[in-house]
Amino acid sequence: MKPFFAELFQYTYHFNDKVTDALIASSIVPMPEKALTLLNHTINAHEIWNARINGSECHTQVCEMRPIDKLKTINTQNYQDSLAILESADLETVISYINSKGQPFTNTVKDILFHVINHSTYHRGQIATSCKENGIMPLVTDYIFYKRDLEV
């Protein structure tokens, strides 16, 4: 299962990076606020979840707005941190954490990692809609297209 998760994190990293590049390269000024908010949220949440699994402190807020050029670096770090988690963690380990509303929860590493991937995919769909509404051609970020591109 770990190799499959690693592949899914590569997919997540790849398309978060491509979406960031597309927004930077767009000629729409200012960039669509909703797309930027969703991209920040997606990347921030990934960072927060990695920290929860690692038991480390994270000062990032889930809805914090950071400069778009910084998101590429954070996305890369998130990807590397997730791969390190896959290398060292037992996927069945239960993690106790406090969510952004101050509520305590527990989940397995496996469930958290799947959530991060699914969460990113969900919000990239919303970003695509925001881009389309603002005259930016959205990227096709479906997993199967990613896999097809790897085969070419």
Side-chain angles (χ1 to χ4, degrees):
M1 181 169 282
K2 286 185 175 190
F4 183 61
F5 269 118
E7 184 175 355
L8 292 176
F9 276 109
Q10 169 62 33
Y11 155 71
T12 298
Y13 164 75
H14 174 81
F15 278 122
N16 284 349
D17 196 56
K18 294 294 181 196
V19 166
T20 303
D21 286 342
L23 287 171
I24 290 170
S26 93
S27 60
I28 305 295
V29 179
M31 290 179 214
E33 184 176 341
K34 184 172 182 178
L36 287 173
T37 299
L38 289 165
L39 182 60
N40 270 277
H41 169 73
T42 300
I43 291 174
N44 294 345
H46 190 163
E47 182 179 358
I48 292 165
W49 282 113
N50 281 342
R52 287 175 180 163
I53 293 170
N54 286 326
S56 58
E57 198 170 334
C58 183
H59 298 287
T60 302
Q61 300 300 309
V62 75
C63 291
E64 183 177 336
M65 292 298 288
R66 303 194 265 189
I68 193 165
D69 59 319
K70 301 282 187 220
L71 295 180
K72 288 181 66 71
T73 302
I74 299 164
N75 184 48
T76 300
Q77 187 63 54
N78 285 344
Y79 173 56
Q80 292 169 348
D81 290 349
S82 292
L83 292 182
I85 288 167
L86 285 171
E87 286 284 322
S88 63
D90 177 346
L91 296 180
E92 297 303 326
T93 298
V94 175
I95 304 295
S96 297
Y97 59 92
I98 306 294
N99 73 2
S100 60
K101 296 177 183 174
Q103 302 164 311
F105 288 97
T106 59
N107 292 99
T108 63
V109 169
K110 175 181 62 180
D111 290 340
I112 292 170
L113 294 177
F114 182 74
H115 170 74
V116 169
I117 294 160
N118 194 52
H119 180 257
S120 295
T121 303
Y122 173 75
H123 286 307
R124 279 194 305 272
Q126 290 180 308
I127 292 166
T129 299
S130 175
C131 286
K132 190 172 185 177
E133 290 170 347
N134 286 279
I136 301 170
M137 178 62 75
L139 299 176
V140 176
T141 62
D142 293 351
Y143 178 73
I144 201 69
F145 291 103
Y146 171 76
K147 289 298 290 185
R148 289 177 189 164
D149 284 346
L150 291 178
E151 294 171 4
V152 174

